[in-house]
Amino acid sequence: MAITEPILVAESLPTIELDLLRADNETENKRLLSVCQNYGFFYLNMTSDPELCQLWEDMLSIMKEYFEQPLDIKMQDARNDDNFGYEPMGTEEGPKPKTRDGYESLKFSRREYLKNSTDLTTSIRTKSTPFFNFINQAHTITLLILSRLSTQLGLTGSSRFETYHADPGPSTSTLGILRYPKHESGISEPTSVGHNQHTDVGTLTFLLAAQWGLQYCSPQTKRWEFIEPRPGHAIINVGDSLRFPSGGELASVVHRVVPLKETQEEDRYSIAYFLRPNDDVTFRDATGKMWSAKEWHDFKFDVFKSPSTLDAKGRFLTGMMLEEERGRWVGVAGEGGVAVAV
């Protein structure tokens, strides 16, 4: 079924300045906390770091070349692992009934970065340095964000968010590079499209995307809104594994990927670093159930593959948010959740 909703663009999504975070600017740190409490998404202006911006371009060039290879070549990198290797299009349910997801991906686990090697094929192994460099950069920046949030919330010692991610781990932190291939001309109702609505399983997501497609359920307007891609800006969002440990103080907001029009008219590329807690970190979900970070990760990835079977009410896919008859996403009782419309 084609996506036919009106195009709405997020106009009020805040921007946080990377250079001010690095300088420990108190005003910017306070803004960061407010943004994570009220929006759950924000732009991160990286233009003060030209090397990081260039790294984005370098990775994009390599991934375009990689994804243009024949499927049988890419399948040599398939590892049947949620955080490592190649995954073809259509392995998960799509955003509309009777559709599958519309992206293929290649993932590098942070554990590969820590050992400074990858077990993938020669076609990508010899070009993995930019991806490992980005893992290092994104990991450092997301930990910095956690540190600033912890200080603003008055957290100390082992209760600070960044301590949940201390090396050597292990954790499921992962870099994913994704391509949403354009649909063939003449197809009006594609069966593989976008990425289903969800909240992210991890702590923070550091996303680089130069093309349209990302939507979030705006807590301000109560509608699906496209997030405009901006040169030199990453998009950061809070995930379940930060929302739950914060007791619902920080907002993990439902989002998805859909074509800007009814079909995908060009190849769309995105690069995402998923910061996740160490496997043995524990937290309670919105119902009070205790999970380890690894248990929550593994269960939710199973749900991604078959939400209609494992999660018919959409509770887990959307981070313990409930879809009610009035068409709003509301927090489960006991947590100050963010209400947004679909």
Side-chain angles (χ1 to χ4, degrees), residues 174-236:
T174 298
L175 170 65
I177 60 175
L178 295 82
R179 180 178 76 155
Y180 296 76
K182 65 180 180 181
H183 292 126
E184 296 180 7
S185 60
I187 297 178
S188 59
E189 295 188 358
T191 57
S192 293
V193 56
H195 194 347
N196 206 355
Q197 58 192 12
H198 63 284
T199 54
D200 285 349
V201 67
T203 306
L204 290 170
T205 300
F206 188 120
L207 176 70
L208 302 176
Q211 294 152 298
W212 292 86
L214 176 63
Q215 284 186 324
Y216 85 135
C217 288
S218 169
Q220 282 66 46
T221 67
K222 318 301 182 188
R223 298 180 296 190
W224 283 111
E225 295 182 353
F226 280 101
I227 296 179
E228 178 185 7
R230 293 182 180 176
H233 289 67
I235 298 169
I236 310 294

Short mmCIF file of all heavy atoms in Angstrom, two decimals, residues 174-236:
data_model
loop_
_atom_site.label_atom_id
_atom_site.label_comp_id
_atom_site.label_asym_id
_atom_site.label_seq_id
_atom_site.Cartn_x
_atom_site.Cartn_y
_atom_site.Cartn_z
N THR A 174 26.73 -0.41 17.62
CA THR A 174 26.91 -0.80 16.22
C THR A 174 26.81 0.40 15.29
O THR A 174 26.04 1.32 15.52
CB THR A 174 25.82 -1.82 15.83
OG1 THR A 174 25.94 -3.00 16.63
CG2 THR A 174 25.92 -2.20 14.36
N LEU A 175 27.60 0.35 14.22
CA LEU A 175 27.46 1.29 13.12
C LEU A 175 26.72 0.59 11.99
O LEU A 175 27.12 -0.49 11.54
CB LEU A 175 28.82 1.76 12.62
CG LEU A 175 28.83 2.57 11.32
CD1 LEU A 175 28.10 3.89 11.50
CD2 LEU A 175 30.25 2.80 10.83
N GLY A 176 25.64 1.20 11.52
CA GLY A 176 24.89 0.65 10.40
C GLY A 176 24.91 1.60 9.22
O GLY A 176 24.69 2.81 9.39
N ILE A 177 25.23 1.09 8.03
CA ILE A 177 25.11 1.89 6.81
C ILE A 177 23.98 1.27 6.00
O ILE A 177 23.92 0.06 5.81
CB ILE A 177 26.43 1.96 6.03
CG1 ILE A 177 26.92 0.58 5.59
CG2 ILE A 177 27.51 2.64 6.87
CD1 ILE A 177 28.16 0.63 4.69
N LEU A 178 23.06 2.11 5.53
CA LEU A 178 21.83 1.62 4.92
C LEU A 178 21.58 2.28 3.57
O LEU A 178 21.88 3.46 3.38
CB LEU A 178 20.62 1.92 5.82
CG LEU A 178 20.54 1.22 7.18
CD1 LEU A 178 21.38 1.96 8.22
CD2 LEU A 178 19.09 1.17 7.66
N ARG A 179 21.02 1.49 2.66
CA ARG A 179 20.54 2.02 1.39
C ARG A 179 19.09 1.61 1.21
O ARG A 179 18.73 0.44 1.35
CB ARG A 179 21.35 1.51 0.21
CG ARG A 179 20.82 2.09 -1.12
CD ARG A 179 21.63 1.65 -2.32
NE ARG A 179 21.36 0.28 -2.72
CZ ARG A 179 21.54 -0.20 -3.96
NH1 ARG A 179 21.99 0.61 -4.91
NH2 ARG A 179 21.30 -1.46 -4.23
N TYR A 180 18.25 2.61 0.89
CA TYR A 180 16.87 2.38 0.51
C TYR A 180 16.81 2.52 -1.02
O TYR A 180 16.76 3.64 -1.54
CB TYR A 180 15.95 3.41 1.15
CG TYR A 180 15.89 3.36 2.67
CD1 TYR A 180 16.94 3.88 3.44
CD2 TYR A 180 14.80 2.81 3.32
CE1 TYR A 180 16.89 3.84 4.82
CE2 TYR A 180 14.74 2.77 4.72
CZ TYR A 180 15.79 3.29 5.45
OH TYR A 180 15.74 3.25 6.83
N PRO A 181 16.84 1.41 -1.77
CA PRO A 181 16.91 1.51 -3.23
C PRO A 181 15.66 2.17 -3.82
O PRO A 181 14.55 2.00 -3.30
CB PRO A 181 17.02 0.05 -3.69
CG PRO A 181 17.46 -0.71 -2.48
CD PRO A 181 16.87 0.01 -1.32
N LYS A 182 15.87 2.90 -4.90
CA LYS A 182 14.72 3.52 -5.57
C LYS A 182 13.83 2.44 -6.16
O LYS A 182 14.30 1.36 -6.56
CB LYS A 182 15.19 4.49 -6.64
CG LYS A 182 15.92 3.86 -7.81
CD LYS A 182 16.32 4.92 -8.82
CE LYS A 182 17.07 4.30 -10.00
NZ LYS A 182 17.48 5.32 -10.99
N HIS A 183 12.54 2.72 -6.22
CA HIS A 183 11.59 1.78 -6.81
C HIS A 183 11.63 1.89 -8.33
O HIS A 183 11.86 2.97 -8.89
CB HIS A 183 10.17 2.07 -6.31
CG HIS A 183 9.99 1.78 -4.85
ND1 HIS A 183 9.49 2.70 -3.95
CD2 HIS A 183 10.26 0.67 -4.13
CE1 HIS A 183 9.44 2.17 -2.75
NE2 HIS A 183 9.90 0.94 -2.82
N GLU A 184 11.41 0.78 -8.97
CA GLU A 184 11.37 0.78 -10.43
C GLU A 184 10.20 1.61 -10.92
O GLU A 184 9.14 1.67 -10.29
CB GLU A 184 11.26 -0.66 -10.95
CG GLU A 184 12.46 -1.54 -10.61
CD GLU A 184 12.29 -2.95 -11.16
OE1 GLU A 184 11.31 -3.18 -11.89
OE2 GLU A 184 13.13 -3.80 -10.85
N SER A 185 10.38 2.26 -12.06
CA SER A 185 9.32 3.08 -12.62
C SER A 185 8.10 2.22 -12.96
O SER A 185 8.24 1.06 -13.35
CB SER A 185 9.80 3.80 -13.88
OG SER A 185 10.22 2.87 -14.86
N GLY A 186 6.93 2.78 -12.77
CA GLY A 186 5.70 2.07 -13.06
C GLY A 186 5.10 1.34 -11.87
O GLY A 186 3.98 0.85 -11.95
N ILE A 187 5.84 1.27 -10.75
CA ILE A 187 5.32 0.62 -9.55
C ILE A 187 4.63 1.68 -8.69
O ILE A 187 5.27 2.60 -8.19
CB ILE A 187 6.45 -0.06 -8.75
CG1 ILE A 187 7.08 -1.18 -9.57
CG2 ILE A 187 5.91 -0.61 -7.43
CD1 ILE A 187 8.23 -1.88 -8.88
N SER A 188 3.32 1.56 -8.54
CA SER A 188 2.56 2.55 -7.77
C SER A 188 2.36 2.13 -6.32
O SER A 188 2.16 2.98 -5.45
CB SER A 188 1.20 2.80 -8.43
OG SER A 188 0.46 1.60 -8.50
N GLU A 189 2.37 0.83 -6.06
CA GLU A 189 2.19 0.33 -4.70
C GLU A 189 3.29 -0.67 -4.38
O GLU A 189 3.09 -1.89 -4.44
CB GLU A 189 0.81 -0.30 -4.53
CG GLU A 189 -0.34 0.69 -4.69
CD GLU A 189 -1.68 0.09 -4.33
OE1 GLU A 189 -1.72 -1.12 -4.00
OE2 GLU A 189 -2.68 0.81 -4.36
N PRO A 190 4.48 -0.19 -4.03
CA PRO A 190 5.60 -1.10 -3.77
C PRO A 190 5.35 -1.98 -2.55
O PRO A 190 4.69 -1.57 -1.59
CB PRO A 190 6.77 -0.14 -3.52
CG PRO A 190 6.13 1.14 -3.11
CD PRO A 190 4.85 1.22 -3.85
N THR A 191 5.88 -3.19 -2.60
CA THR A 191 5.72 -4.12 -1.48
C THR A 191 6.87 -4.05 -0.49
O THR A 191 6.78 -4.59 0.60
CB THR A 191 5.59 -5.56 -2.00
OG1 THR A 191 6.74 -5.89 -2.80
CG2 THR A 191 4.33 -5.72 -2.85
N SER A 192 7.97 -3.39 -0.88
CA SER A 192 9.09 -3.15 0.02
C SER A 192 9.28 -1.65 0.13
O SER A 192 9.57 -0.98 -0.86
CB SER A 192 10.38 -3.81 -0.50
OG SER A 192 10.27 -5.21 -0.49
N VAL A 193 9.10 -1.13 1.34
CA VAL A 193 9.11 0.32 1.48
C VAL A 193 9.54 0.72 2.89
O VAL A 193 9.06 0.20 3.88
CB VAL A 193 7.72 0.92 1.16
CG1 VAL A 193 6.65 0.31 2.03
CG2 VAL A 193 7.71 2.43 1.29
N GLY A 194 10.51 1.63 2.98
CA GLY A 194 10.84 2.30 4.21
C GLY A 194 11.24 1.43 5.38
O GLY A 194 11.79 0.33 5.23
N HIS A 195 10.93 1.92 6.58
CA HIS A 195 11.28 1.27 7.84
C HIS A 195 10.12 1.49 8.80
O HIS A 195 9.66 2.61 8.99
CB HIS A 195 12.56 1.88 8.39
CG HIS A 195 13.21 1.10 9.50
ND1 HIS A 195 12.58 0.06 10.15
CD2 HIS A 195 14.44 1.21 10.08
CE1 HIS A 195 13.40 -0.43 11.08
NE2 HIS A 195 14.53 0.25 11.05
N ASN A 196 9.65 0.42 9.40
CA ASN A 196 8.46 0.46 10.25
C ASN A 196 8.62 1.43 11.42
O ASN A 196 9.73 1.72 11.88
CB ASN A 196 8.17 -0.95 10.79
CG ASN A 196 6.70 -1.16 11.13
OD1 ASN A 196 5.90 -0.23 11.06
ND2 ASN A 196 6.36 -2.38 11.49
N GLN A 197 7.49 1.93 11.93
CA GLN A 197 7.51 2.84 13.08
C GLN A 197 8.06 2.12 14.31
O GLN A 197 7.75 0.96 14.57
CB GLN A 197 6.10 3.36 13.35
CG GLN A 197 5.07 2.29 13.62
CD GLN A 197 3.66 2.82 13.58
OE1 GLN A 197 3.42 3.95 13.15
NE2 GLN A 197 2.70 2.03 14.04
N HIS A 198 8.87 2.85 15.08
CA HIS A 198 9.53 2.22 16.23
C HIS A 198 10.20 3.29 17.08
O HIS A 198 10.32 4.45 16.67
CB HIS A 198 10.60 1.23 15.75
CG HIS A 198 11.72 1.87 14.98
ND1 HIS A 198 11.58 2.27 13.66
CD2 HIS A 198 12.99 2.20 15.33
CE1 HIS A 198 12.71 2.80 13.24
NE2 HIS A 198 13.59 2.79 14.23
N THR A 199 10.62 2.90 18.25
CA THR A 199 11.61 3.66 19.01
C THR A 199 12.90 2.86 18.96
O THR A 199 12.88 1.63 18.80
CB THR A 199 11.18 3.86 20.48
OG1 THR A 199 10.90 2.58 21.06
CG2 THR A 199 9.96 4.77 20.57
N ASP A 200 14.03 3.53 19.08
CA ASP A 200 15.31 2.83 19.00
C ASP A 200 15.59 2.07 20.29
O ASP A 200 15.31 2.55 21.39
CB ASP A 200 16.44 3.81 18.71
CG ASP A 200 16.44 4.27 17.26
OD1 ASP A 200 15.69 3.67 16.45
OD2 ASP A 200 17.17 5.22 16.93
N VAL A 201 16.18 0.89 20.13
CA VAL A 201 16.39 0.00 21.27
C VAL A 201 17.48 0.50 22.20
O VAL A 201 17.46 0.21 23.40
CB VAL A 201 16.74 -1.42 20.75
CG1 VAL A 201 18.08 -1.42 20.04
CG2 VAL A 201 16.74 -2.44 21.88
N GLY A 202 18.43 1.29 21.69
CA GLY A 202 19.61 1.64 22.45
C GLY A 202 19.49 2.94 23.23
O GLY A 202 18.41 3.39 23.59
N THR A 203 20.65 3.56 23.47
CA THR A 203 20.74 4.76 24.30
C THR A 203 20.57 6.03 23.48
O THR A 203 19.66 6.83 23.71
CB THR A 203 22.10 4.79 25.02
OG1 THR A 203 22.29 3.56 25.73
CG2 THR A 203 22.18 5.95 25.98
N LEU A 204 21.46 6.23 22.52
CA LEU A 204 21.41 7.37 21.61
C LEU A 204 21.72 6.88 20.20
O LEU A 204 22.53 5.97 20.02
CB LEU A 204 22.43 8.44 22.00
CG LEU A 204 22.18 9.25 23.27
CD1 LEU A 204 23.42 10.09 23.60
CD2 LEU A 204 20.96 10.16 23.13
N THR A 205 21.09 7.50 19.21
CA THR A 205 21.41 7.23 17.81
C THR A 205 21.99 8.49 17.19
O THR A 205 21.44 9.58 17.35
CB THR A 205 20.15 6.80 17.04
OG1 THR A 205 19.63 5.61 17.62
CG2 THR A 205 20.48 6.55 15.57
N PHE A 206 23.11 8.33 16.49
CA PHE A 206 23.82 9.41 15.81
C PHE A 206 23.64 9.16 14.32
O PHE A 206 24.27 8.27 13.75
CB PHE A 206 25.29 9.38 16.22
CG PHE A 206 26.13 10.53 15.75
CD1 PHE A 206 26.78 11.34 16.68
CD2 PHE A 206 26.32 10.79 14.40
CE1 PHE A 206 27.60 12.39 16.28
CE2 PHE A 206 27.12 11.85 13.98
CZ PHE A 206 27.76 12.65 14.93
N LEU A 207 22.76 9.91 13.67
CA LEU A 207 22.36 9.65 12.29
C LEU A 207 22.88 10.71 11.33
O LEU A 207 22.75 11.90 11.59
CB LEU A 207 20.83 9.60 12.20
CG LEU A 207 20.23 9.43 10.79
CD1 LEU A 207 20.51 8.03 10.26
CD2 LEU A 207 18.74 9.72 10.81
N LEU A 208 23.43 10.24 10.21
CA LEU A 208 23.81 11.10 9.10
C LEU A 208 22.96 10.71 7.90
O LEU A 208 23.02 9.56 7.45
CB LEU A 208 25.29 10.94 8.77
CG LEU A 208 26.29 11.21 9.89
CD1 LEU A 208 27.71 10.90 9.42
CD2 LEU A 208 26.19 12.65 10.38
N ALA A 209 22.17 11.64 7.39
CA ALA A 209 21.32 11.36 6.23
C ALA A 209 21.15 12.64 5.43
O ALA A 209 20.69 13.65 5.98
CB ALA A 209 19.96 10.82 6.67
N ALA A 210 21.52 12.60 4.17
CA ALA A 210 21.46 13.78 3.32
C ALA A 210 20.19 13.84 2.48
O ALA A 210 20.02 14.76 1.69
CB ALA A 210 22.69 13.83 2.40
N GLN A 211 19.31 12.84 2.64
CA GLN A 211 18.11 12.78 1.83
C GLN A 211 16.88 12.64 2.71
O GLN A 211 16.95 12.18 3.85
CB GLN A 211 18.20 11.59 0.86
CG GLN A 211 19.30 11.74 -0.18
CD GLN A 211 19.83 10.40 -0.65
OE1 GLN A 211 20.37 9.62 0.13
NE2 GLN A 211 19.66 10.13 -1.92
N TRP A 212 15.74 13.05 2.17
CA TRP A 212 14.49 12.99 2.91
C TRP A 212 14.06 11.55 3.16
O TRP A 212 14.47 10.63 2.46
CB TRP A 212 13.39 13.70 2.13
CG TRP A 212 13.56 15.18 2.02
CD1 TRP A 212 14.28 15.86 1.08
CD2 TRP A 212 13.01 16.18 2.88
NE1 TRP A 212 14.21 17.21 1.29
CE2 TRP A 212 13.42 17.44 2.39
CE3 TRP A 212 12.19 16.13 4.01
CZ2 TRP A 212 13.05 18.64 3.00
CZ3 TRP A 212 11.81 17.33 4.61
CH2 TRP A 212 12.25 18.56 4.11
N GLY A 213 13.21 11.35 4.15
CA GLY A 213 12.63 10.04 4.42
C GLY A 213 12.31 9.81 5.89
O GLY A 213 11.37 9.09 6.21
N LEU A 214 13.11 10.42 6.79
CA LEU A 214 12.89 10.22 8.22
C LEU A 214 11.70 11.05 8.70
O LEU A 214 11.63 12.25 8.46
CB LEU A 214 14.14 10.61 9.00
CG LEU A 214 14.04 10.54 10.53
CD1 LEU A 214 13.79 9.11 11.00
CD2 LEU A 214 15.31 11.11 11.18
N GLN A 215 10.78 10.38 9.38
CA GLN A 215 9.65 11.05 10.03
C GLN A 215 9.66 10.74 11.52
O GLN A 215 10.06 9.64 11.92
CB GLN A 215 8.31 10.57 9.47
CG GLN A 215 7.92 11.09 8.12
CD GLN A 215 6.51 10.65 7.75
OE1 GLN A 215 6.09 9.55 8.08
NE2 GLN A 215 5.78 11.51 7.08
N TYR A 216 9.21 11.70 12.32
CA TYR A 216 8.97 11.38 13.73
C TYR A 216 7.60 11.89 14.13
O TYR A 216 7.02 12.76 13.47
CB TYR A 216 10.08 11.94 14.61
CG TYR A 216 9.96 13.38 15.07
CD1 TYR A 216 10.23 13.71 16.39
CD2 TYR A 216 9.62 14.41 14.20
CE1 TYR A 216 10.16 15.02 16.84
CE2 TYR A 216 9.56 15.72 14.63
CZ TYR A 216 9.82 16.02 15.96
OH TYR A 216 9.74 17.33 16.39
N CYS A 217 7.04 11.29 15.18
CA CYS A 217 5.75 11.72 15.71
C CYS A 217 6.01 12.88 16.65
O CYS A 217 6.43 12.70 17.79
CB CYS A 217 5.07 10.58 16.46
SG CYS A 217 4.45 9.28 15.41
N SER A 218 5.78 14.08 16.17
CA SER A 218 6.15 15.28 16.92
C SER A 218 5.35 15.41 18.21
O SER A 218 4.12 15.43 18.17
CB SER A 218 5.92 16.52 16.05
OG SER A 218 6.02 17.69 16.83
N PRO A 219 6.03 15.52 19.35
CA PRO A 219 5.31 15.76 20.60
C PRO A 219 4.61 17.12 20.63
O PRO A 219 3.70 17.32 21.42
CB PRO A 219 6.42 15.70 21.66
CG PRO A 219 7.54 14.96 21.02
CD PRO A 219 7.47 15.32 19.57
N GLN A 220 5.04 18.04 19.76
CA GLN A 220 4.46 19.38 19.76
C GLN A 220 3.20 19.46 18.89
O GLN A 220 2.20 20.03 19.30
CB GLN A 220 5.49 20.40 19.26
CG GLN A 220 6.53 20.79 20.31
CD GLN A 220 7.43 19.64 20.68
OE1 GLN A 220 7.93 18.92 19.81
NE2 GLN A 220 7.66 19.45 21.97
N THR A 221 3.24 18.91 17.68
CA THR A 221 2.11 19.05 16.76
C THR A 221 1.19 17.83 16.75
O THR A 221 0.11 17.88 16.16
CB THR A 221 2.60 19.28 15.33
OG1 THR A 221 3.28 18.09 14.86
CG2 THR A 221 3.56 20.46 15.26
N LYS A 222 1.63 16.73 17.38
CA LYS A 222 0.85 15.49 17.44
C LYS A 222 0.64 14.85 16.06
O LYS A 222 -0.36 14.19 15.83
CB LYS A 222 -0.53 15.73 18.10
CG LYS A 222 -0.51 16.63 19.32
CD LYS A 222 0.38 16.11 20.41
CE LYS A 222 0.33 17.03 21.63
NZ LYS A 222 1.31 16.66 22.66
N ARG A 223 1.61 15.06 15.14
CA ARG A 223 1.48 14.50 13.80
C ARG A 223 2.82 13.93 13.34
O ARG A 223 3.87 14.28 13.86
CB ARG A 223 1.03 15.59 12.81
CG ARG A 223 -0.32 16.20 13.11
CD ARG A 223 -0.68 17.27 12.09
NE ARG A 223 0.22 18.41 12.13
CZ ARG A 223 0.02 19.55 11.48
NH1 ARG A 223 -1.07 19.69 10.73
NH2 ARG A 223 0.88 20.54 11.56
N TRP A 224 2.74 13.05 12.32
CA TRP A 224 3.96 12.61 11.66
C TRP A 224 4.55 13.79 10.91
O TRP A 224 3.86 14.45 10.13
CB TRP A 224 3.66 11.49 10.66
CG TRP A 224 3.43 10.14 11.24
CD1 TRP A 224 2.25 9.45 11.27
CD2 TRP A 224 4.41 9.28 11.84
NE1 TRP A 224 2.43 8.23 11.86
CE2 TRP A 224 3.75 8.09 12.22
CE3 TRP A 224 5.77 9.41 12.10
CZ2 TRP A 224 4.40 7.04 12.84
CZ3 TRP A 224 6.43 8.36 12.73
CH2 TRP A 224 5.75 7.19 13.09
N GLU A 225 5.84 14.05 11.10
CA GLU A 225 6.51 15.14 10.40
C GLU A 225 7.84 14.64 9.84
O GLU A 225 8.58 13.91 10.51
CB GLU A 225 6.77 16.32 11.34
CG GLU A 225 5.51 16.98 11.84
CD GLU A 225 5.79 18.18 12.73
OE1 GLU A 225 6.98 18.41 13.07
OE2 GLU A 225 4.83 18.88 13.09
N PHE A 226 8.14 15.05 8.61
CA PHE A 226 9.45 14.76 8.04
C PHE A 226 10.50 15.65 8.71
O PHE A 226 10.26 16.83 8.97
CB PHE A 226 9.47 15.03 6.54
CG PHE A 226 8.86 13.93 5.72
CD1 PHE A 226 7.57 14.04 5.23
CD2 PHE A 226 9.58 12.78 5.44
CE1 PHE A 226 7.00 13.03 4.47
CE2 PHE A 226 9.02 11.76 4.68
CZ PHE A 226 7.73 11.89 4.19
N ILE A 227 11.66 15.07 8.97
CA ILE A 227 12.79 15.83 9.49
C ILE A 227 13.70 16.19 8.32
O ILE A 227 14.22 15.31 7.64
CB ILE A 227 13.56 15.04 10.56
CG1 ILE A 227 12.64 14.78 11.76
CG2 ILE A 227 14.83 15.77 10.98
CD1 ILE A 227 13.30 13.98 12.87
N GLU A 228 13.85 17.47 8.09
CA GLU A 228 14.62 17.95 6.94
C GLU A 228 16.10 17.59 7.08
O GLU A 228 16.70 17.87 8.12
CB GLU A 228 14.47 19.46 6.82
CG GLU A 228 15.26 20.07 5.68
CD GLU A 228 15.18 21.59 5.67
OE1 GLU A 228 14.63 22.16 6.62
OE2 GLU A 228 15.69 22.18 4.70
N PRO A 229 16.70 16.98 6.07
CA PRO A 229 18.15 16.75 6.12
C PRO A 229 18.90 18.06 5.94
O PRO A 229 18.54 18.87 5.08
CB PRO A 229 18.39 15.79 4.95
CG PRO A 229 17.25 16.02 4.01
CD PRO A 229 16.08 16.43 4.85
N ARG A 230 19.94 18.28 6.74
CA ARG A 230 20.71 19.52 6.67
C ARG A 230 22.19 19.21 6.51
O ARG A 230 22.74 18.41 7.27
CB ARG A 230 20.50 20.36 7.94
CG ARG A 230 19.09 20.89 8.11
CD ARG A 230 19.00 21.75 9.35
NE ARG A 230 17.65 22.29 9.54
CZ ARG A 230 17.27 23.01 10.59
NH1 ARG A 230 18.16 23.27 11.55
NH2 ARG A 230 16.04 23.45 10.68
N PRO A 231 22.85 19.85 5.56
CA PRO A 231 24.30 19.63 5.40
C PRO A 231 25.04 19.99 6.68
O PRO A 231 24.73 20.99 7.35
CB PRO A 231 24.67 20.59 4.26
CG PRO A 231 23.39 20.82 3.52
CD PRO A 231 22.30 20.77 4.55
N GLY A 232 26.02 19.17 7.04
CA GLY A 232 26.83 19.46 8.21
C GLY A 232 26.15 19.22 9.54
O GLY A 232 26.69 19.58 10.59
N HIS A 233 24.97 18.62 9.51
CA HIS A 233 24.21 18.38 10.74
C HIS A 233 23.87 16.90 10.87
O HIS A 233 23.36 16.29 9.92
CB HIS A 233 22.91 19.17 10.76
CG HIS A 233 23.09 20.64 10.94
ND1 HIS A 233 23.69 21.44 9.98
CD2 HIS A 233 22.75 21.47 11.97
CE1 HIS A 233 23.70 22.69 10.41
NE2 HIS A 233 23.15 22.74 11.61
N ALA A 234 24.16 16.34 12.02
CA ALA A 234 23.67 15.01 12.36
C ALA A 234 22.29 15.16 13.01
O ALA A 234 21.90 16.25 13.44
CB ALA A 234 24.63 14.32 13.32
N ILE A 235 21.56 14.06 13.07
CA ILE A 235 20.31 14.00 13.81
C ILE A 235 20.51 13.02 14.96
O ILE A 235 20.91 11.87 14.73
CB ILE A 235 19.14 13.56 12.92
CG1 ILE A 235 18.93 14.57 11.78
CG2 ILE A 235 17.86 13.40 13.73
CD1 ILE A 235 17.98 14.10 10.70
N ILE A 236 20.28 13.48 16.17
CA ILE A 236 20.47 12.66 17.37
C ILE A 236 19.10 12.37 17.97
O ILE A 236 18.25 13.26 18.05
CB ILE A 236 21.33 13.38 18.42
CG1 ILE A 236 22.62 13.94 17.79
CG2 ILE A 236 21.63 12.46 19.59
CD1 ILE A 236 23.58 12.90 17.29
#
